[in-house]
Amino acid sequence: MIIDEISVKKPFNKQAMVIRLTLASLVALTLYAFVTFDYKDIQFFDAALETARTVKTMFFQPLFKHITFLEAVKHLTITLGLAFLTTLFGAVLALILGLLAANNLSNPKLAIVVKAVVAFIRAVPTVLWVLIFAVAAGLGSVAAVIGMTFHSVSYLVKAYSESFEELDKGVIESLKASGANWVQIVFQAVLPSSVTSLISWTFMRFEINFAVALAMGAAAGAGGIGYDMFMASSYYYDVREIGAITYLILAFAIVLEFIAGWIKKKLRVQA
């Protein structure tokens, strides 16, 4: 019996203890903030009712007032164009850098440098990169495309390089033994075996860029449907138009999801 109790006892896990203490500290700080926060006589019940009325008007009475439906669709295509352009530029650059960052295809030191640089770029939010380039290029679509491309490259380099590293080492070694050079190895073995994974990652990044382009339409003056939503919410305060734009974006996002599922299904069949 004593032996059974000793065997059931779990060993001390320092990592788990640190996680639990961190979570407990965050919960304590949150409760303290709620208790000590100066609410300045806010009537929560009245505020909740007003919020409910606003949400009801927004989503149950949607209406285009300052723009027409066709104009909204046109502006949505502008946002789509921004997402497509940044994904295209990012995929081309990331493909080259991804080959240099893969340990099985590149010099180990060079791979570490490339991964370190893209990790730093990826750690900075996209909106911050857009604002940084906006200082040089001015607010507009140019700054949005450059900033979003910057972050797309860092995201896709990690995804692409990991896809390349999953390739069987025996294939590369056999091609080297047969006298194939680096370019031949890449085009005859690496890319054909990784194409399904590359397309999946690229389309996933396209969906992310579409969502980011919506925000950049307002934050960086890039235009598109995001700018219309910003004007409806901050300038006109037309909650009915916000609801109509939201439904249009949601419908397009659902269409993108169906297209992504169809592409993935086709890739699985071909694989």
Side-chain angles (χ1 to χ4, degrees):
M1 183 68 69
I2 297 174
I3 296 173
D4 291 339
E5 289 179 0
I6 294 173
S7 61
V8 170
K9 248 183 199 179
K10 292 183 179 179
F12 176 75
N13 191 330
K14 185 177 180 181
Q15 184 179 6
M17 181 61 68
V18 170
I19 292 174
R20 290 172 184 173
L21 289 175
T22 303
L23 291 174
S25 301
L26 291 174
V27 170
L29 288 172
T30 303
L31 294 174
Y32 176 76
F34 272 114
V35 172
T36 59
F37 187 76
D38 184 8
Y39 294 99
K40 296 187 180 298
D41 299 326
I42 295 177
Q43 301 296 324
F44 284 99
F45 184 73
D46 294 339
L49 284 178
E50 190 62 32
T51 301
R53 291 193 196 99
T54 302
V55 172
K56 178 183 175 182
T57 304
M58 184 184 300
F59 292 110
F60 289 95
Q61 301 174 10
L63 178 68
F64 286 108
K65 183 178 180 181
H66 300 91
I67 58 173
T68 64
F69 175 77
L70 292 178
E71 288 175 337
V73 172
K74 178 183 176 182
H75 295 168
L76 184 63
T77 58
I78 294 174
T79 302
L80 178 65
L82 287 173
F84 177 78
L85 201 60
T86 53
T87 306
L88 179 63
F89 291 160
V92 172
L93 294 173
L95 183 61
I96 300 170
L97 293 174
L99 292 170
L100 298 177
N103 291 321
N104 56 345
L105 298 172
S106 178
N107 183 284
K109 292 182 180 178
L110 179 61
I112 291 174
V113 171
V114 174
K115 287 181 178 179
V117 172
V118 297
F120 169 76
I121 296 173
R122 194 169 54 251
V124 179
T126 307
V127 63
L128 188 55
W129 283 119
V130 172
L131 294 176
I132 289 172
F133 287 109
V135 175
L139 289 173
S141 58
V142 175
V145 169
I146 296 174
M148 290 167 61
T149 300
F150 221 63
H151 203 272
S152 296
V153 170
S154 65
Y155 178 93
L156 291 175
V157 166
K158 178 178 174 59
Y160 288 177
S161 62
E162 289 179 354
S163 299
F164 297 149
E165 289 172 352
E166 291 175 359
L167 183 65
D168 186 9
K169 293 181 180 180
V171 176
I172 297 176
E173 293 299 329
S174 61
L175 286 172
K176 286 181 179 179
S178 64
N181 57 33
W182 186 82
V183 176
Q184 291 173 328
I185 292 172
V186 168
F187 283 97
Q188 293 180 12
V190 177
L191 294 182
S193 62
S194 306
V195 65
T196 55
S197 178
L198 298 182
I199 293 174
S200 296
W201 281 113
T202 304
F203 200 90
M204 184 180 293
R205 185 63 207 189
F206 171 71
E207 291 178 335
I208 295 172
N209 283 342
F210 176 73
V212 173
L214 291 171
M216 293 305 100
I225 197 69
Y227 182 74
D228 293 324
M229 179 170 280
F230 168 74
M231 293 295 289
S233 60
S234 300
Y235 190 75
Y236 306 121
Y237 192 65
D238 189 344
V239 294
R240 298 175 71 187
E241 188 163 86
I242 295 172
I245 293 173
T246 301
Y247 279 129
L248 181 61
I249 294 171
L250 180 61
F252 187 76
I254 292 172
V255 171
L256 277 182
E257 192 62 32
F258 275 113
I259 294 173
W262 178 78
I263 291 175
K264 290 175 183 177
K265 185 178 178 181
K266 287 289 184 183
L267 292 174
R268 289 194 197 100
V269 171
Q270 292 176 3

